[in-house]
Amino acid sequence: MKVREMRMEDIARVLPLYLGYYNGREEGCWTEETAGRRIAQVLGIQDGYSLLLTEGEAVLGFAMGYFKQYDDCVGYTLEEIVIDGTRQHQGYGSALLAELERRVREKGAACVELQAVNDSLHDGFYGKAGYGNAKNFVMKVKWFD
């Protein structure tokens, strides 16, 4: 298992994982075009930092996000973490998350923050890694007709 920084040229390699996870497990309606655009947006953001998990030539997963400046610290916002569906529940996601945490901490992040689907699967995965629900923040949204 190898972890390296993810680059724009890796988008084509991670698209099948992204589409498989979000369309297959979360009933999304992503296309190669929309998913590719989403991945490129996160990779191209100022202070972006993303990792690719491989084994030989196979892509096992990836994590994408960016550093965010606050008045008194720098945080890291994890936007996506995706593991190949055939490799889930084998420790790959936990290993990738731990490596990401180690690396962003070394780069000066005081915390990792993320938004997750509110269900037992995500609560279990992130809870196992020590993540809890924020008490001082709540997500707000306004949908336009």
Side-chain angles (χ1 to χ4, degrees):
M1 186 171 73
K2 181 179 174 185
V3 177
R4 69 162 171 80
E5 283 191 49
M6 194 166 138
R7 302 179 295 264
M8 287 289 189
E9 52 268 22
D10 294 317
I11 292 174
R13 296 182 70 197
V14 301
L15 269 175
L17 299 182
Y18 196 95
L19 294 169
Y21 178 77
Y22 287 106
N23 289 350
R25 292 195 138 219
E26 295 198 3
E27 300 177 11
C29 58
W30 292 94
T31 65
E32 285 190 10
E33 179 183 345
T34 58
R37 184 173 180 171
R38 165 75 174 147
I39 295 166
Q41 286 172 338
V42 177
L43 288 178
I45 199 168
Q46 183 177 351
D47 296 322
Y49 186 73
S50 301
L51 297 178
L52 185 70
L53 176 66
T54 61
E55 190 172 72
E57 292 299 311
V59 174
L60 305 182
F62 63 96
M64 304 187 309
Y66 55 91
F67 291 95
K68 187 189 294 185
Q69 182 66 55
Y70 291 101
D71 62 338
D72 60 347
C73 70
V74 172
Y76 178 83
T77 300
L78 177 61
E79 286 287 325
E80 311 277 355
I81 184 167
V82 176
I83 300 298
D84 180 327
T86 66
R87 305 291 184 122
Q88 291 183 0
H89 307 289
Q90 297 176 33
Y92 291 105
S94 296
L96 181 57
L97 184 58
E99 181 65 13
L100 178 77
E101 291 171 347
R102 184 187 70 74
R103 290 184 184 203
V104 300
R105 186 173 187 179
E106 283 180 359
K107 292 182 175 292
C111 65
V112 173
E113 51 190 29
L114 59 91
Q115 297 174 21
V117 175
N118 187 16
D119 64 14
S120 61
L121 175 71
H122 290 84
D123 281 347
F125 176 74
Y126 289 113
K128 180 174 66 172
Y131 288 78
N133 293 335
K135 306 223 182 326
N136 57 340
F137 290 102
V138 63
M139 181 184 284
K140 301 284 189 187
V141 65
K142 179 179 181 179
W143 295 99
F144 300 111
D145 296 335

